[in-house]
Amino acid sequence: MKRLLLGILLVLMLSGCASGRDGMKEALALRQKMDAGCTFEAEITAEYETGTQTFVLSCQADKQGGVTFCVVSPELISGITGQVDADGARLVFDDEVLCFEPLADGMLSPASAPWVLVHTLRCGYITSCGEEDKELLLSVDDSYENDALHLNIRLNGDNVPSKAEIIWNQRRILSMEVREFRFLSLSDGSGIGYFGAAAV
């Protein structure tokens, strides 16, 4: 029942999309495909009050929305792997735990950012959509709570995410460049399926 209600709310919100394309149809098509899982590389820039830090993670999301990842850079921590799901994140390397500095009063870290993107695309509250340079722009809250993280997500010509930024308390705290985004096989989720432009 809750999932049905979320779907109805999504349709109502997307019906107001200001775009020459059928933004509602494209966003719904992407949401449906996200249920199969996906792989992608994320270049993440965390914006702290003292400066910025950049990380590159190779990520895979499963059918339940959980994300496993491997740190690609910086070189000092490359090879560290981890898992993120609704219960939080854990990074393990040589039996030691590594922690990234938290953001948004502990609600977010660079390691959990890919999971937040996947979770938001799967079931976030879409507040608006538009079009710029023939690409779809989505504004999505990760929850219905008052302290929700707000994501601005850009979809490329293949209707998959290429960039995202996370806003909290009206300030951008993290941005992501998403590369090599592929959906997992819709049949069993075990292989990589190559989708072109969304058939909508």
Side-chain angles (χ1 to χ4, degrees), residues 2 4 18 28 45 54 58 71 77 80 86 89-90 105 111 132 144 157 160 163 165 169 184 187 193:
K2 184 177 180 182
L4 176 62
L28 287 173
T45 301
T54 300
S58 178
V71 178
I77 58 173
I80 290 179
R90 179 174 174 82
D105 281 352
E132 181 179 284
Y144 298 93
V160 298
K163 292 183 179 179
E165 61 179 12
N169 278 352
L184 294 175
S187 59

Side-chain angles (χ1 to χ4, degrees), residues 9-61:
L9 288 171
L10 173 66
V11 171
L12 290 174
M13 291 306 301
L14 285 176
S15 63
C17 288
S19 172
R21 297 157 60 179
D22 191 340
M24 177 178 70
K25 194 172 183 179
E26 294 186 49
L28 287 173
L30 172 60
R31 177 155 293 187
Q32 185 177 23
K33 289 179 179 179
M34 291 296 297
D35 285 342
C38 58
T39 64
F40 59 94
E41 183 176 272
E43 181 174 326
I44 300 163
T45 301
E47 301 185 11
Y48 299 100
E49 291 184 1
T50 56
T52 62
Q53 294 183 6
T54 300
F55 307 87
V56 177
L57 306 181
S58 178
C59 308
Q60 178 168 320

